[in-house]
Amino acid sequence: MTPRVKALLQLALLYRCWEKAAPSDPGLGQVAATVERVWQNPDHAGLLTLDPRYARAFQLIYGALAPAGLAGGPHRAALARVEDDGFLTPRGKSPYLHLETRYYADLAGVGHRLHSYRELYEASLLARHGDGRPVAGLDVCDVTHTVFYLSDFGFRDPGLTGEDLERARRTVCRLTDHRVDRGDWDLVGKLVLAQYCLGIDPLRTPSGAAGLSMLAEVQSSGGAIPGRSATDRADAAATAVEFFRVAYQATLVTALAAVIVSRGHAAGRPAGGVVTEERSPAVREAL
């Protein structure tokens, strides 16, 4: 899987969430045109299968993120292959892959035999990590993507209540603190968004506010985050291709968090039932 292919899948996810959060935003046009062009290109579909270990998972994501209204295209054949070969069953899947598969299968509208979201949450790393245990060794991607899939990236209630919800919030906030201290830009962007998806306003938590401030500080005038972390950033002499390889991940994650946190979904309510507040110009700039 090349960085370009991964970046295009992530761009399609950004487009989906951006369109849901701010459907009248004039900035959507260019992104929509890029995604639609790529999704109709058979060469792009072929690149998804270069690594057999991830071929079916990426084909499912590709099919699920096809732009709405795209009647035909290579994504249809990709989804048919995923349905036909037994990938949409629990067979051999880790809790994380199982949950990811369930989320994108539902998004694609394909039939499956996967477990319920409640069962998948209970098997997740997030559910099994008890209070008081160190967070330094936690897999941030596993934790945050569990929250994203349960909450549809903040567009629905994650289905957690009581102590489950409070423990998840504490874990994510502690992880945010830890990763801010380490200067992990990419992971902080994910954790800020995960706070929002759990019904927290990250602008009002010390860890969330610190994370957003850090991202705003390192963001270039063109909007790019120049690497995955303070220790893994593009060299000043990097070519455009070299810069893209280092910067695309954190840039797209930050853009995704910015779109969802600053705008909320179209009805103005983030996950957890907290009403989205109108942001000041200064806050919107930071986001």
Side-chain angles (χ1 to χ4, degrees):
M1 178 64 69
T2 66
R4 181 175 180 273
V5 172
K6 289 180 68 176
L8 287 168
L9 288 175
Q10 291 172 12
L11 181 66
L13 176 62
L14 171 62
Y15 171 60
R16 174 184 179 268
C17 293
W18 190 352
E19 187 176 42
K20 286 171 70 70
S24 60
D25 194 320
L28 277 170
Q30 187 173 355
V31 178
T34 298
V35 172
E36 289 173 6
R37 183 173 66 252
V38 169
W39 256 246
Q40 295 178 77
N41 182 353
D43 292 339
H44 176 71
L47 295 174
L48 298 168
T49 63
L50 292 179
D51 189 333
R53 294 173 300 171
Y54 307 112
R56 289 297 180 255
F58 284 129
Q59 285 180 309
L60 174 61
I61 295 170
Y62 167 68
L65 293 176
L70 192 64
H75 68 281
R76 297 289 186 186
L79 283 177
R81 284 192 292 271
V82 169
E83 288 186 88
D84 290 343
D85 71 1
F87 183 73
L88 301 179
T89 68
R91 184 184 63 197
K93 290 181 174 59
S94 66
Y96 174 80
L97 179 58
H98 194 159
L99 176 58
E100 178 181 75
T101 305
R102 171 69 198 256
Y103 173 74
Y104 283 109
D106 286 347
L107 195 60
V110 295
H112 60 74
R113 289 178 284 157
L114 300 163
H115 294 166
S116 70
Y117 285 105
R118 182 65 200 180
E119 291 173 299
L120 293 171
Y121 164 72
E122 290 173 350
S124 71
L125 179 62
L126 178 61
R128 292 182 282 109
H129 188 82
D131 273 345
R133 294 173 58 189
V135 297
L138 275 178
D139 185 326
V140 174
C141 291
D142 193 315
V143 169
T144 55
H145 283 254
T146 295
V147 174
F148 297 158
Y149 299 147
L150 291 174
S151 69
D152 188 18
F153 290 86
F155 293 103
R156 69 180 177 218
D157 190 295
L160 304 181
T161 59
E163 182 54 28
D164 284 338
L165 179 59
E166 293 307 315
R167 185 173 61 251
R169 288 172 169 175
R170 288 191 295 267
T171 298
V172 167
C173 287
R174 289 173 61 208
L175 261 178
T176 310
D177 265 330
H178 175 62
R179 292 299 176 169
V180 168
D181 287 344
R182 289 174 56 94
D184 291 330
W185 304 330
D186 172 33
L187 299 180
V188 167
K190 292 182 179 182
L191 287 160
V192 165
L193 178 54
Q195 288 192 22
Y196 177 86
C197 293
L198 290 170
I200 305 171
D201 184 350
L203 290 166
R204 296 176 185 240
T205 65
S207 61
L212 288 167
S213 177
M214 180 178 70
L215 292 171
E217 184 177 334
V218 302
Q219 190 174 40
S220 73
S221 59
I225 305 296
R228 300 190 72 152
S229 69
T231 58
D232 182 17
R233 63 185 300 165
D235 186 86
T239 66
V241 172
E242 290 168 341
F243 184 86
F244 170 81
R245 288 177 177 273
V246 175
Y248 81 88
Q249 172 79 17
T251 299
L252 286 168
V253 164
T254 301
L256 183 65
V259 163
I260 295 173
V261 175
S262 65
R263 302 292 183 95
H265 61 65
R269 288 183 178 273
V274 181
V275 176
T276 302
E277 298 177 356
E278 178 63 25
R279 307 303 184 195
S280 70
V283 166
R284 286 197 296 271
E285 175 117 5
L287 285 168

